[in-house]
Amino acid sequence: MRWDLSSPLIFGHRGAAANAPENTAISIKTAALQGATWIEVDLQPAADGTLMVCHDYQLARYIGQRLWLRQQSVQALKQLDMGHWFAPRFQGEPMLTLSELLQLVEQLNLSVNIELKVRQRNPTHIVDTLMTALQASQLSANQVLISSFDNRTMRALKSYLAQQPLGYGLGVLANALSLSKRALIDEISPDSCHLWAKLIDQKNVDWLKARQIPVFCYTVNDTAQAAQLWEMGVQGFFTDSPQRLLNWQKRIDN
């Protein structure tokens, strides 16, 4: 087993998205202050291929303008205010590049789950860019988990790591376990599978556990729901409120 899963593994979803603007430095710092040791963030490419930390492909939710991230230069993206939409006190919070993210994760001694969002891009170049940056960082293999909803991306990641066994974890993301997702899981043998809490059922958990693949769930902010999923066999939780679920984790450990 790659991780100690004798107690629930808690991921700060986009940092601490209930308390600060998602995927920003302040959100990641807030998660760390709340006691999180793992965070989850989203990466997608700008116009020149630079990987930027952002969830939405289109930026209207953050800035009130219908801009597509993939069409913008890094310089233009760095000028955007990614904090004010959440609360005025976060005004001026910038979008992070992958390089800035990795430096921050190292400084805070965190582990990171990176979700790659490729949309219609060729995943091979995106995977190469990510792997180059990770190898230049000081993060150990066990501090990195890479995931994606995109099956092409997961295959590209598996192919890269087969040629260069760097040891980074791979996690298949799915709303539910479709036949194509099951085939992918059997093909690449990921280190984890991340399922939507609203659609998970015991049958899917049992199917994954039979293959010795840990099951993590997104997005779980309620401790009663977390306890129910834990009893089902779910071992990790992505949460907007790390402190709340970490307090619940401590009660389980005691």
Side-chain angles (χ1 to χ4, degrees):
M1 187 70 68
R2 176 178 288 269
W3 309 285
D4 178 8
L5 298 175
S6 57
S7 66
L9 190 60
I10 308 300
F11 297 82
H13 184 238
R14 306 177 194 170
N19 308 108
E22 63 183 47
N23 280 320
T24 61
I26 190 61
S27 188
I28 293 168
K29 291 175 182 176
T30 300
L33 286 171
Q34 291 184 11
T37 58
W38 277 89
I39 58 161
E40 180 269 352
V41 295
D42 305 281
L43 280 185
Q44 55 175 305
D48 70 350
T50 299
L51 292 177
M52 307 298 294
V53 184
C54 186
H55 177 269
D56 293 8
Y57 294 111
Q58 196 220 73
L59 303 174
R61 182 164 65 96
Y62 310 115
I63 63 171
Q65 301 178 51
R66 295 173 61 84
L67 299 179
W68 292 93
L69 189 151
R70 68 177 183 270
Q71 297 174 348
Q72 310 304 312
S73 69
V74 175
Q75 292 77 10
L77 292 170
K78 291 297 293 180
Q79 295 301 312
L80 299 178
D81 179 355
M82 298 297 289
H84 187 269
W85 70 273
F86 188 87
R89 69 180 183 276
F90 295 113
Q91 183 172 353
E93 194 69 22
M95 187 182 296
L96 295 172
T97 64
L98 171 59
S99 175
E100 290 168 337
L101 167 71
L102 295 179
Q103 290 176 21
L104 182 59
V105 168
E106 289 175 13
Q107 290 168 8
L108 297 173
N109 195 28
L110 294 170
S111 298
V112 61
N113 172 203
I114 293 171
E115 178 185 339
L116 283 180
K117 303 174 73 69
V118 300
R119 203 172 174 86
Q120 298 170 343
R121 295 287 189 96
N122 182 339
T124 302
H125 176 69
I126 295 172
V127 167
D128 288 347
T129 300
L130 173 61
M131 291 298 183
T132 298
L134 286 172
Q135 290 178 76
S137 77
Q138 299 300 311
L139 297 176
S140 69
N142 284 340
Q143 286 179 275
V144 178
L145 174 61
I146 311 167
S147 57
S148 181
F149 280 100
D150 184 70
N151 289 3
R152 300 170 306 144
T153 300
M154 294 308 303
R155 290 188 173 99
L157 286 163
K158 183 68 173 182
S159 176
Y160 190 104
L161 293 176
Q163 298 175 42
Q164 298 192 50
L166 303 171
Y168 302 127
L170 297 182
V172 169
L173 262 167
N175 289 325
L177 278 186
S178 63
L179 290 177
S180 66
K181 289 295 182 183
R182 290 181 182 228
L184 175 69
I185 288 166
D186 281 337
E187 176 186 340
I188 71 170
S189 300
D191 298 284
S192 58
C193 181
H194 311 169
L195 298 177
W196 192 19
K198 291 183 179 180
L199 293 181
I200 198 167
D201 59 27
Q202 191 66 59
K203 182 179 179 181
N204 284 336
V205 173
D206 291 344
W207 188 88
L208 289 162
K209 289 179 75 69
R211 288 157 175 76
Q212 297 184 315
I213 297 172
V215 185
F216 303 156
C217 263
Y218 65 91
T219 304
V220 180
N221 297 322
D222 179 73
T223 57
Q225 183 186 28
Q228 182 181 20
L229 291 167
W230 176 251
E231 289 299 317
M232 286 175 60
V234 174
Q235 295 170 290
F237 301 89
F238 298 91
T239 180
D240 298 324
S241 302
Q243 189 168 45
R244 183 183 305 157
L245 259 67
L246 286 164
N247 288 338
W248 165 74
Q249 178 199 56
K250 290 175 184 176
R251 293 197 297 271
I252 285 184
D253 291 345
N254 293 333

